[in-house]
Amino acid sequence: MRNTDKSKRAFFTKAAAAVGFVAAADHVANLISEHSDSIAEINNNSAHDANARTTLLQKKKMTLMTDDEKQQMLDEILNFHDKNHA
Amino acid sequence: MSEEREDPNNNKEDVKENRRNFLKNVGIAGASTLMLGSGSATASADPPNPDAEITAAEWFQGHFVLMSEEDKKKAIERLEKRYTAKYGKKTTVSDAPALDGVLFGYALNIAKCIGCRRCVHACVKENNQSRDNPVIQWIQVMKIPKGNFSFSADKLKKGYPKTSAMGDYGVQVGGNAYTPVGGLSTEEAQNYYPADEKVPDKNYFYVPVQCQQCEKPPCVKACPVRATFRDLNGVVVIDYNWCIGCRMCQLACPYGARRFNWGEPNLPQEEMNPKTHYFGNRPRMRGVMEKCTFCLQRTREGRNPACLEACPVGARKFGNLLDPESDIRKIIATKKVFRFKESMSTYPKFFYFIG
């Protein structure tokens, strides 16, 4: 009798914990979803990305390649491609 | 106290009863919260999701490259069904394979580009990019002051990559090893000049930047789930359904070429391009990365990318790097070609040139 009680109790404890956990997860998911769904939030995040891109691109330098550099770069690209896809 | 001593079994029963009631209540409360939560989520979304079944199937879908032919067919059918219903037009999703014996390369003539951004708009239209909230554009045109350009013709033939017995490490020695022959600094570049601005401004260069399709792409190395990879034509592609949206690739890209869908992309039905490719221009979803693919839905059929076709001054050239007679190879051999200084080790296949 006692064993049956124990197993029932354990089952109910686990079931209640599981239901509670799922409910909490669902609630949190809803909160997050509502939060990131707002257009302002989406645009803010996108603007942040764009600013990061601008900063990144403004630090670049493009250098002119000599003939040898060009050839070496091309050889490397073609060799690498051959090696991986031959 | 005495009562407790007198009837201990009774007390135990009470405790059991209380616990049972407590657990029952917790269970009921949890279930109610769950139901309320789901209810509120359903109520907040306008209609119930019509393609919930498709979404569930996609959720359990594997990496496209590793799928069996049958699974690929099913995945394509699911997407076609979903897009056709969503955009109200017959949409095809191709899985045409990469071409044999082709390594795509792209070259852009900085001297010719007038900064009109027709390439940007053609790209947006062709590749089903989000129109607003958020605006996503895979090509970004930099407006760079002409004063940032320097060039010394007499150094062009000097200097050579050093070769040693251990191998060729590409170390530049000789004439211009420490003083580059010339270059273009992007300092003070404007990336978002007004759309109605009159172009070209004679005091500026215009340099469109998009995915450089690196032969050794750092973004591919950064992806923890291999959702992005280089295809046989050297184009870096993304399996949007496999992407987990961690944005590691975005951080790794030295060219800022990758875009993240912070929200559900906003693509009007009437502007949607229904001819799509699985790895190319099919509509993306919220929470995944996207980027230029050299319009692989076109190039895998032997056509040119949309940006090239839209360019009114012929500044863009596209071709097969494996073919020594192609335009792209001739440009590399005969023109003054630039590379981004910090990114030599990524070996981009997008070249900038003048002349």
Side-chain angles (χ1 to χ4, degrees), chain A residues 72, chain B residues 160-173:
Chain A
Q72 192 211 20
Chain B
Y160 52 91
K162 185 181 181 182
T163 305
S164 79
M166 298 283 287
D168 186 355
Y169 297 109
V171 178
Q172 182 78 14
V173 297

Side-chain angles (χ1 to χ4, degrees), chain A residues 6 9 12 17 26 32 34 37 40 49 74-75 78 82 85:
Chain A
K6 263 188 184 174
R9 194 175 297 158
F12 279 124
D26 185 58
I32 292 171
E34 273 168 28
D37 266 350
D49 277 1
L74 191 61
D75 288 347
L78 299 183
D82 287 347
H85 301 300

Side-chain angles (χ1 to χ4, degrees), chain B residues 210-331:
Chain B
Q210 58 204 79
C211 176
Q212 308 278 304
Q213 314 295 359
C214 305
E215 193 57 20
K216 299 179 183 177
C219 54
V220 167
K221 287 181 192 163
C223 180
V225 295
R226 300 193 179 185
T228 187
F229 56 95
R230 202 182 59 248
D231 75 3
L232 291 174
N233 297 145
V235 176
V236 177
V237 297
I238 302 168
D239 182 345
Y240 307 116
N241 280 83
W242 197 245
C243 174
I244 58 172
C246 67
R247 304 174 69 215
M248 295 301 283
C249 54
Q250 193 179 25
L251 285 173
C253 176
Y255 310 103
R258 288 179 168 253
R259 308 287 185 265
F260 183 69
N261 284 288
W262 283 103
E264 197 61 42
N266 195 345
L267 176 61
Q269 280 189 337
E270 62 280 8
E271 292 179 30
M272 189 259 183
N273 174 10
K275 196 162 186 260
T276 71
H277 192 285
Y278 185 89
F279 290 121
N281 61 338
R282 70 182 168 100
R284 276 74 60 188
M285 50 291 230
R286 175 180 151 193
V288 300
M289 299 302 307
E290 57 179 79
K291 60 176 255 324
C292 162
T293 60
F294 281 170
C295 288
L296 64 78
Q297 66 281 1
R298 296 163 69 104
T299 52
R300 285 189 180 185
E301 292 177 356
R303 299 166 67 201
N304 278 323
C307 50
L308 185 145
E309 286 186 1
C311 183
V313 292
R316 290 170 172 266
K317 302 287 176 197
F318 181 72
N320 181 5
L321 286 167
L322 299 179
D323 176 9
E325 295 304 312
S326 64
D327 282 355
I328 188 87
R329 284 288 293 271
K330 285 179 182 166
I331 285 167

